[in-house]
Amino acid sequence: MSSQNIADKASGFLERVNDKLLNVVAADPATANDKERYRALTHVAREQLSRRWVKTQIEDRENQARRIYYLSMEFLIGRALNNALSALGLHEQAEAAFSEPGGPSLADALECEPDAALGNGGLGRLAACFLDSMATLELPSWGYGMRYEYGMFAQSIVNGMQVERPDAWLTEGAPWEFFRPGTVYTVHFGGTEEHYGEWAEWNAAESVEARAYDYVIPGHGTERVSTLRLWKAGAPAQIDLNAFNSGDYGRAAEFKNRFENISWVLYPNDSTAAGRELRLRQEYFFVSASLQDILQNHLEEYGNLNNLADKVAIHLNDTHPAISIAELMRLLCDEHGILWAHAWEQCQRIFSYTNHTLMPEALETWPVGLMQYLLPRHMRIIYRINQEFLSEVEQRFPGDIELIRRVSLIDDTSGDANNRRVRMANLSIVGSHRVNGVSKLHSDLMVQTIFADFARLYPDRFDNKTNGVTPRRWLAQANPGLAALLDQRLGGPGWRLHLDRLSALRSAADDAQFRSDFAAVKRANKLRLAEYIKRELDITLDPDALFDVQIKRIHEYKRQLLNVLHVISHYNAIIHGIADDAPPRCVIFAGKAASSYAMAKSIIHLIHDVANVVNNDARVRDRLKVVFVPNYGVSLAEIIIPAANLSEQISTAGTEASGTGNMKFALNGALTIGTEDGANIEIRDQVGADNIFIFGNSAAQVEALRREGYDPRAIYQNDPALNETLNKIDGGYFAPNDRKRYHDIFNSLVNYGDHYQLLADFASYMETQQRVGALYRSSDEWQRKAILNVAGMGIFSSDRTIREYATETWDLAAALKPE
Ligand SMILES: *Cc1c(COP(=O)(O)O)cnc(C)c1O
């Protein structure tokens, strides 16, 4: 665009913002503050999103489109304004409109938006990346979820310890929302069910209303959009008027809260099966509202449900929405009079399911008693599904009682009739036509371990869909410097929609000028992060130091503690004068611990205590810094990831289903130090084994150690560096006023079996970290490898993942344009 053209557009854009300030926000453009400007900007974008939404719906109706409905308890969206401006083609003019020196800046307005943090971590962020890709690929697509009043808690650190604060993200208004007053469904709970043959009736005890709030998800390079429809729970309109009429406002308010609490707050993921009634209520609430909505829309379009499975695909993001399978059967049979066998056939064609974890303790199950009490009709339906399924198994494998016991939808293994539980993963598999894992390794292990019996029963049902991330948010928006460099080198902005074009960078790795430009971008991103950390934490980082980053949920399997063991050992080596060749290193952590997860919280505390000692030890000077950045979330990730040199992906092999953080880092030119786990393996395949630091035991070796016996205490005793490090932790070196503080951590490693095998991988990790340091010192070679990492990341676009789902799982190949 010519500069005159941009200037014209910029002044036109500014006029629109000022118009919104005056007419919608009620603020004087001359004196408006950043928050008001942010609101005005959202209104400029919102108008266009609104028109695009209407146009998309008209198109889909006219085309009688088959649609994909993506059901997820979590959508970790982050901020929306910057993304909307890019998708609407307004970004350049918005930048120009606020480029007056000393005047208001676009960046300051963007900072006013709170993150929509309706998710815990990877699973919810995946759903958000998928919506971006579904819109961009122009798929007729909807996300369905919960409109939590409070999303992921905000984390602050007090005396080195995590403190959780409520995330009141809606208090300053919800400018992106489109409330749909006409879209209300009743969701029932409790009561009794009666059935006579095919006919059944549910006399529910309670009802709650579900109200729809839409978020328009813009596609990039297209005017089509996707819809994220979130449900809020409320008391039925005919609220207990007797209480009101008698002036008992307290009781009336209590009555109201009892209903609204369903969509009040997001459950934290502590990777243990939750036994909490409210969580089951949430799951059923959002599932029932979504399915009623899907059926109603289908009926409006076709007048009957005969072709439902031809027009509707429903995806279950993990088992949280698995009750969908019983609910669709209930709606089809009880409410719409369809015969069981026909309804079941449709169900299996409609549903597909993604598994996200192999850890048996994280597989969702619900007590039969609770299910019976809250959802008596569904319990009956699950029994019937189970009966028909098990009789099929019995026919194919006569007399294999153990097999029946293992695959049953009801876990009866405790032997106590009061302790029976519904296995939601088994329900999801039986009710779906496709089940996938999220990386090659994970999908292989899935059919070899937790779902081995089902893979024998239904070998064609299982496949792999390696995760991806959207390059719009995770490169174009988060790293504008690198994006501009790529635009130059790759001949334009097309890589945003065709990420495989990054492979053309391979030749650029040998171009000294490009390496130097690439390094300059990285350094600017490091400065940006260093300024943030200086401002927030008053810690000074050297932008030329190696930025060694581990940001993700704090969990034992992700092994932040192994990283801490390296930090302490490196600290010891510096003090002993045996690390003089090592480059200055800043080790940066961020992540939240589930509020009930004591060990994860203790690890956060330890990181702070270690940071305190290391950062203040005069002998270390600036050769090692440790930083914990509070309140990890999407927006923080967007600042930290582009600034990383080294990406820590060090989970015990076989435990991280895929990881998507690993992809974001490599896409932004960080080198990975990682185990042979999840998508790390596929990243190695793409970037080349010479350009990634893989260490430690493989999944098979981890398994073998578990089987054949593992002696962490012997490793502790025989490795002097490890011995010194663990003794410092146990001896109170980092907590001189509370010397027993980390006794439990020490014991978990040395005396209680070291479940995640940190000590088994310690020596390999240390040796690999030394090679990382050596390579960082030969800066040019480092840059070459970093560029080759970016070049290899083409396949990790969520566009690629969604294309695979569309063709292999959702039967939506016809809706895809050729690439
Ligand atoms: C990408 C992302 C995750 C997932 O990170 P992993 O390292 O794969 O666990 C979690 N939280 C946020 C905010 C993210 O952006």
Side-chain angles (χ1 to χ4, degrees), residues 240-256:
D240 191 353
L241 280 177
N242 289 334
F244 258 108
N245 291 341
S246 61
D248 188 351
Y249 292 103
R251 219 186 95 217
E254 193 186 306
F255 181 83
K256 187 166 183 288

Side-chain angles (χ1 to χ4, degrees), residues 112 119 138 223 309 311 313 345 419 476 511 551 564 570 582 584 666 693 701 729 815:
C112 294
E138 309 191 338
E223 299 210 340
K311 296 296 177 184
E345 188 203 335
N419 229 343
D511 172 343
I551 57 173
V564 175
H570 188 50
F693 294 94
Q701 290 168 318
I729 292 175

Side-chain angles (χ1 to χ4, degrees), residues 27-63:
D28 176 359
T31 59
N33 61 32
D34 287 326
K35 280 189 175 172
E36 290 162 336
R37 231 174 334 271
Y38 156 68
R39 294 258 306 282
L41 281 159
T42 65
H43 282 286
V44 171
R46 182 186 159 97
E47 277 183 359
Q48 296 199 29
L49 293 175
S50 174
R51 286 197 291 271
R52 288 187 178 191
W53 189 85
V54 170
K55 191 162 158 255
T56 303
Q57 306 321 311
I58 292 172
E59 268 171 25
D60 287 352
R61 287 215 164 198
E62 280 179 352
N63 295 335

